[in-house]
Each structure stands twice: as C-alpha cells, then as structure tokens.
Amino acid sequence: MDNRNEAREFLMSRRAKLAPDQAGVAVSGHRRVKGLRRSEVAALADVSIEYYSKIERGNLTGVSDSVLDSVARALQLDDAEREHLFDLARVANGAAQPVRKRKAKAWAARESLTRSLDAITNGPAFVRNGRMDILAANALARAFYGQVFDGPGRGNLARFNFLDQRSREFYPDWEAAADVSVAILRTEAGRDPHDKELHDLVGELSTRSDAFRSRWGAHNVRRHGSGTKNFHHPDVGDLTLTYEGMELTAEPGLSFLIYTAEPGSPSEDRLKLLASLAATARQQAAAALPAIEASQEPS
C-alpha cells in the first residue's frame, strides 16, 4: 500500500468529517468544501497553509511529533486515529522494513499460550492477528466460531464477515460488525503497510465485496479493546457478550480476546449449553475414531 496515498486520503477524509461548528470555526455564506478547508486546519494547527498542504499531500517525511500532535488536535482525532497518523509518519520516515521475499515461517502457539487459552472455560477465548486471522482458540471459541472455520472465512473474521452469507445472521447488527472489521484492517495497514498477506486479503475482499470496498475507502480506524456485542449462534441462539482484548507482550501485533456473559443471564446459560454441545461432539468424534481407523487398515 502506498504510504503517501494512504496518508493523503486519511487526512482528507478526517478533514471532510469535521464540520466548522464542531471545530469552532465561524462561517458565512455558501461553502463548496465539505467539512473544513485546508486553511482552517492549518490555522487550528498553527502551521502555514503551505506546510499543512504538504502534509495533506501525504508527505510526512520529517514532520515532527509536535506538528503531528497539532494536526491531530485540529482534526479532533480520537486515540485510534492519532495512533494511525503517527504510524503513517513512522513508515514515511523509514521505520518499517520492506516485506521479505521469502515466505515467513508459519506462526505456532507456544505451549504456555495454549494452556492459558484452555484454562478459560466460561467463555470463548482466542488469539488473532491484525489481519483478523484466528490463530489459536480454546474449545468454546472453536465451537462459537465454527462457521468462521468451516466456510469461506477459512479462519479469518473479516473474510467471514464479507464473504459468508451466514455472517448476517451471526451478527444481528451486521453493519456495525462490518465497520469494525474494516477499521481494524485499516489500522493494521497503517502499522504494517508492507504485510503481503494483508495486501492479498484487502485485494480479495475489495474484488469480491462491494460492502467491503466502500468501507475501505472511508479510511476509518479503530482500537478493539473492550465492549459489548450481540450474536446469534446457529446452535444456541441469541447471545450478548462483553469482551476484553489484550496485546500479547511476547507476540507483538497479536491480541488475546476473551468473551464472557453476565452471570445468571440467559447468555450465560446459552454459553454453557454451547460448551456442553461441543464437549459431546468431541466425545462422539473420539469414540468414532478407532472404527474409522480400523476400516482404513488393509485386509
């Protein structure tokens, strides 16, 4: 992804979203510009119009942190947007390394991480990367996200969101879920613009989904730390779950997420039912395995 183009479109999109009255800018007469003018952002950031125009053209090389802070304040960027702007500047100043030509070694969960996931039994817990691939999961998360693994999603939450029709039932507020998925990918693109697998995923989704393509062009970014989500699971029905996301210190770029239900709620009862159904399915599969192996032995 071209860093200058990313920076240009991101800053233009933030300027277009900020109305003059929100920024405390007095206006009169007809305005042809949606949102703020460049000159107004420059004045709010206390930089020259020439310098801000250079920044908005995507030239972030050499721009100081103090100027970036001023621009972020002028555009009223939230924490995720401000971090994205600094990521773009970091890349512009050569802090990110180009993608390696050799295929990267496949990631594998450490045994201690797997044990940590398996120790969580009351809710789905999983590890994902910035591309929204589910890399490791406890038993309840594998049951919870069964459709993500067994269809077009191929273990990727964004691909499931946009390429699997079942996601529109799984996420009762599908539009919001779609917005979040794209915002997470946009954030990752700013953090690591040379990630070839991310390039490939964005290209695939842009080609196959109009809904993804229109959201990608909005340049929205997001931190995914905590909150509440509604789901409709095909086996147990409606669930309202809270989630907490934590960055893995030992695995930069990976997040550890845990979903839980309010104690005594119908959602907690349904999670317990899902766990029971998953355990029964595993027991049946284990019991059937010897018979399958015996049938495959040469007579």
Side-chain angles (χ1 to χ4, degrees):
M1 299 172 192
D2 182 79
N3 181 259
R4 290 187 64 146
N5 190 53
E6 287 287 311
R8 179 181 66 83
E9 293 186 1
F10 174 67
L11 288 170
M12 289 177 62
S13 70
R14 298 313 92 178
R15 179 165 61 84
K17 287 181 65 175
L18 187 59
D21 60 333
Q22 292 176 298
V25 174
V27 297
S28 60
H30 177 69
R31 290 173 64 92
R32 293 186 299 173
V33 177
K34 183 180 179 182
L36 294 180
R37 296 187 175 104
R38 286 194 186 91
S39 59
E40 292 165 341
V41 176
L44 290 168
D46 197 24
V47 297
S48 70
I49 177 62
E50 292 80 12
Y51 193 53
Y52 178 72
S53 295
K54 168 200 164 187
I55 292 171
E56 196 179 272
R57 286 196 296 270
N59 188 355
L60 297 178
T61 304
V63 179
S64 68
D65 287 355
S66 61
V67 169
L68 292 173
D69 266 325
S70 296
V71 171
R73 285 195 299 272
L75 292 172
Q76 299 182 18
L77 303 186
D78 63 23
D79 288 344
E81 292 168 330
R82 180 185 179 280
E83 185 175 310
H84 186 62
L85 176 61
F86 273 75
D87 279 341
L88 293 171
R90 175 181 56 81
V91 172
N93 285 285
Q97 296 300 316
V99 64
R100 296 180 178 89
K101 292 185 181 299
R102 289 188 301 174
K103 186 176 181 180
K105 183 179 178 181
W107 183 87
R110 301 184 310 280
E111 184 180 350
S112 59
L113 178 57
T114 301
R115 287 201 306 269
S116 298
L117 286 166
D118 290 341
I120 300 169
T121 57
N122 292 332
F126 60 100
V127 174
R128 69 156 177 80
N129 58 23
R131 296 187 299 272
M132 302 193 73
D133 296 313
I134 298 177
L135 301 176
N138 68 356
L140 192 48
R142 289 190 291 271
F144 182 71
Y145 281 127
Q147 292 180 331
V148 177
F149 292 104
D150 73 1
R154 306 201 307 275
N156 181 276
L157 290 163
R159 195 180 281 115
F160 170 69
N161 215 140
F162 290 99
L163 302 185
D164 194 325
Q165 191 63 31
R166 295 173 298 176
S167 70
R168 294 182 178 268
E169 293 186 9
F170 186 74
Y171 298 115
D173 190 352
W174 185 88
E175 297 287 339
D179 290 343
V180 169
S181 289
V182 178
I184 290 172
L185 294 181
R186 255 301 170 197
T187 303
E188 181 67 7
R191 190 188 68 82
D192 188 3
H194 301 299
D195 185 337
K196 184 180 184 303
E197 291 181 78
L198 178 60
H199 282 235
D200 293 344
L201 176 63
V202 170
E204 176 189 4
L205 295 179
S206 296
T207 300
R208 300 179 62 185
S209 171
D210 292 339
F212 176 87
R213 188 164 55 250
S214 63
R215 286 171 169 82
W216 185 253
H219 285 265
N220 292 327
V221 292
R222 177 188 173 96
R223 282 180 175 173
H224 200 58
S226 63
T228 302
K229 288 185 179 181
N230 294 319
F231 302 92
H232 180 83
H233 194 276
D235 294 329
V236 298
D238 294 334
L239 295 160
T240 298
L241 305 177
T242 57
Y243 66 91
E244 292 290 334
M246 297 161 281
E247 296 298 316
L248 291 178
T249 304
E251 300 278 1
L254 301 188
S255 299
F256 191 117
L257 291 100
I258 305 171
Y259 285 94
T260 58
E262 183 180 350
S265 67
S267 293
E268 183 184 46
D269 293 338
R270 289 167 185 154
L271 270 186
K272 290 178 179 177
L273 174 58
L274 180 60
S276 176
L277 293 172
T280 299
R282 289 196 302 273
Q283 291 168 358
Q284 291 174 343
L289 185 59
I292 296 173
E293 291 176 342
S295 69
Q296 294 174 343
E297 291 180 358
S299 55

